[in-house]
Amino acid sequence: MRRIATIGVYGFTAGAFLEELTRGGVALLLDLRQRRGVRGAEYAWANAARLQRALAAAGVGYRHVKGLAPTTELRQLQYREDDRQGVGKRNRIALAPEYIERYIREILAPFDLGTLVTELPSGSVTALFCVEGNPEACHRSLVAERLCAGYGMPVTNIRPDRPGPVAEAGGPV
């Protein structure tokens, strides 16, 4: 059976991130970022080349799925809502309703998830990866919800503020 986990960058050190992936049985990490870098020295380990080397050393596969990344325009829409609410990307707790609607319509609906699912390793966990620590504040939660609802794939959100992976019934909260 294929299973899904979600994980972000914020709140993790490189070591803790890799430890959580290993503890969660993750065999493949799907990078859902448009630009595969993170600002700030604290998170330099999550920039694509460094991350891929660390994952390979830990025995975790890597695949960039740019087709599921939000466009620059969609990211800007979310940033405007963050500004309106006075929250930063690292502190966001939810996605803007317009962002959700447009991401689903413009990115997720036309994407061939069926083909992606058939390419995932069976009998293991695949992690959906982006930067936000809180899955509800990231588009990866929308992808996870669709995989759970459409393909019956159980979802676990790995969060930096909780010890160990946390299974959430019915998919991401």
Side-chain angles (χ1 to χ4, degrees):
M1 173 182 223
R2 293 178 175 104
R3 294 170 292 152
I4 295 294
T6 77
I7 191 166
V9 172
Y10 297 145
F12 284 107
T13 63
F17 181 85
L18 293 170
E19 183 179 315
E20 290 296 330
L21 292 178
T22 301
R23 184 185 351 215
V26 172
L28 176 65
L29 184 130
L30 300 181
D31 190 339
L32 305 184
R33 301 176 291 174
Q34 181 186 47
R35 293 177 303 182
R36 298 178 293 156
V38 182
R39 289 190 177 134
E42 178 183 8
Y43 296 112
W45 59 266
N47 293 332
R50 290 180 181 142
L51 177 62
Q52 288 176 66
R53 284 192 300 272
L55 290 169
V60 177
Y62 174 91
R63 181 172 165 199
H64 183 219
V65 186
K66 192 172 182 177
L68 286 172
T71 62
T72 300
E73 179 186 352
L74 279 174
R75 285 196 330 275
Q76 293 301 322
L77 181 154
Q78 182 63 55
Y79 297 156
R80 285 191 301 276
E81 180 63 15
D82 293 345
D83 289 344
R84 190 185 71 72
Q85 292 185 15
V87 298
K89 180 165 121 174
R90 295 182 189 197
N91 301 317
R92 180 187 314 135
I93 59 170
L95 292 168
E98 183 182 357
Y99 176 97
I100 293 170
E101 184 275 324
R102 287 190 54 195
Y103 179 83
I104 290 171
R105 180 172 38 89
E106 296 172 16
I107 307 292
L108 194 52
F111 190 87
D112 184 0
L113 280 178
T115 297
L116 178 69
V117 167
T118 64
E119 296 170 350
L120 300 180
S122 59
S124 67
V125 179
T126 297
L128 306 178
F129 170 71
C130 196
V131 296
E132 289 81 2
N134 182 353
E136 295 85 6
C138 181
H139 71 288
R140 71 179 186 270
S141 67
L142 304 174
V143 177
E145 287 173 5
R146 182 69 55 99
L147 290 169
C148 182
Y151 299 90
M153 299 177 78
V155 175
T156 300
N157 290 310
I158 302 171
R159 299 171 185 260
D161 57 341
R162 297 184 190 165
V166 178
E168 297 173 356
V173 177

